[in-house]
Amino acid sequence: MSDLDEREREARLLARAQSGDDDAWWDLLEPLYKRLLPMVQKVLKNDADVEDVIQSTLLEIYSKMDAYRGEARFSTYVWQAVKMRAFSHLKENLLHRKLLEQQADAVDSCRAPITPEQALLNSEQAHLVDRALSNLRPSDRDLLTEAVQDDGDAKPLRSPATAKKRVALHRARQRLKDNMEKLEGKEEDQ
């Protein structure tokens, strides 16, 4: 098919697509899609992102088809839009990765290496907490365990129905603290 024939075919299909003919839209895009795929793959190198970029760009063009002014061939318009979106996506991903790396570096720089003495101290503290917990009533242990598990869910105990539970939890924490202080006092005496 000559370039002139291709331009006429594209113009006819575009006119039908702009009037709401979905089949014409897909007929217009099918040969173009086959050329877009390798170009975007070269830019992004990630098949999942490639499909997302092409599809989201084509959907956006479809939803704003009346904005196409015809200054260039429709295929050129689509090609440029997809190419720009691919490079924009690549740039966003690179910036995102760079930010993640910077955050990871910041966290790593704040984290001091644990010395053997610190590891021993952490182990001793864990042992002390275990012993203090074992000296509590089962209901206090259950409350404290539930509070620690729920802490990740960020469910505040603020409703009137949970007022009793808040008080019981406060008391259980106080008893745990008292038990730990007693155990620490006994260890110091020995």
Side-chain angles (χ1 to χ4, degrees), residues 30-82:
E30 186 178 10
L32 186 56
Y33 189 86
K34 291 175 183 174
R35 293 191 343 242
L36 289 170
L37 198 58
M39 182 268 293
V40 178
Q41 284 172 328
K42 284 180 185 176
V43 173
L44 298 180
K45 298 176 179 40
N46 178 340
D47 287 341
D49 288 345
V50 167
E51 291 291 330
D52 287 346
V53 164
I54 293 173
Q55 288 177 11
S56 65
T57 309
L58 294 179
L59 283 172
E60 185 177 336
I61 290 171
Y62 180 77
S63 68
K64 299 176 182 177
M65 201 175 320
D66 55 332
Y68 172 67
R69 297 186 305 250
E71 295 170 0
R73 283 183 60 178
F74 186 72
S75 56
T76 304
Y77 173 73
V78 171
W79 179 272
Q80 288 295 73
V82 170

Side-chain angles (χ1 to χ4, degrees), residues 16-35:
R16 285 178 38 209
Q18 286 176 322
S19 66
D21 184 346
D22 288 341
D23 290 334
W25 169 252
W26 294 116
D27 289 343
L28 185 63
L29 291 180
E30 186 178 10
L32 186 56
Y33 189 86
K34 291 175 183 174
R35 293 191 343 242

Side-chain angles (χ1 to χ4, degrees), residues 43-44 85-97:
V43 173
L44 298 180
R85 176 75 58 91
F87 280 111
S88 176
H89 186 81
L90 179 65
K91 184 178 177 181
E92 287 172 13
N93 280 350
L94 290 174
L95 287 172
H96 182 72
R97 276 193 219 123

